[in-house]
Amino acid sequence: AGDQNLDGYADIIIGAPGNDSGGAGSGAAFIVFGGPDSDEMYCADGALCDSLPLASADAILVGERGDDYAGGAVSGGADIDQDGNPDVLVGSREEDSAGSDAGAASIMFGPLSGTVDLSSSLAKVHGLNAGDWTGASVAMGGDLNGDGYGDFMVGAPQLDIGEDFVDIGAVLIVKGGW
């Protein structure tokens, strides 16, 4: 997830598409901050823990509505808006804004902390057609076109183009800096 809290340590993002925080099957993504003792985790009571429950994550990105399955694909670390903070990308392969299971990918501009609903995203890539499953895979691509902004890719494995090209799939490349 890049360094969301700008402490000099890398953070991680974990997708949980079956999470029900925003409705049954809404999905979520969890960001856990790294640190100098990131190999040691501390429970809420301050004692050393073997594991950390995701409910204790430093940022929780909640899917917009039931059956979106947000977090099935996550990526982060690039600075899409060039503000000095890393951004993250959360895929929701069965999001329905552009048609049943058209899918979407939400760009969440960092820094991120606390609980945030994906509906607050300032930028989203929607599927083109029902059933495209856009957001089934996502990746931050670095600066693909050399303009100084982070770029990203969104997979749509079941994208159709007309009636002749059914489920051919596509990778959508989106340049940052808008």
Side-chain angles (χ1 to χ4, degrees):
D3 181 6
Q4 290 294 315
N5 58 348
L6 302 175
D7 66 352
Y9 296 95
D11 305 322
I12 60 171
I13 185 168
I14 303 161
N19 184 280
D20 296 330
S21 296
S26 60
F30 299 85
I31 297 174
V32 177
F33 295 159
D37 296 323
S38 59
D39 59 336
E40 296 180 350
M41 294 180 284
Y42 295 90
C43 294
D45 63 4
L48 196 59
C49 297
D50 294 1
S51 61
L52 176 72
L54 287 179
S56 299
D58 297 293
I60 302 172
L61 310 176
V62 178
E64 293 184 55
R65 63 189 73 74
D67 295 326
D68 279 356
Y69 298 99
V74 294
S75 186
D79 187 5
I80 295 168
D81 57 355
Q82 203 62 16
D83 67 352
N85 297 302
D87 306 314
V88 299
L89 190 57
V90 179
S92 302
R93 71 176 187 261
E94 294 185 38
E95 202 265 8
D96 294 334
S97 293
S100 179
D101 296 342
S106 300
I107 299 94
M108 301 300 288
F109 296 108
L112 296 163
S113 63
T115 300
V116 180
D117 193 289
L118 290 178
S119 66
S120 68
S121 171
L122 298 177
K124 184 187 272 189
V125 175
H126 289 277
L128 300 175
N129 310 295
D132 283 353
W133 274 29
T134 300
S137 58
V138 297
M140 293 288 192
D143 183 7
L144 299 175
N145 60 349
D147 66 356
Y149 294 94
D151 304 316
F152 61 92
M153 295 162 281
V154 178
Q158 297 184 33
L159 180 97
D160 299 337
I161 300 178
E163 293 180 18
D164 295 330
F165 300 100
V166 176
D167 293 341
I168 62 169
V171 174
L172 311 171
I173 299 173
V174 182
K175 64 180 188 169
W178 13 263

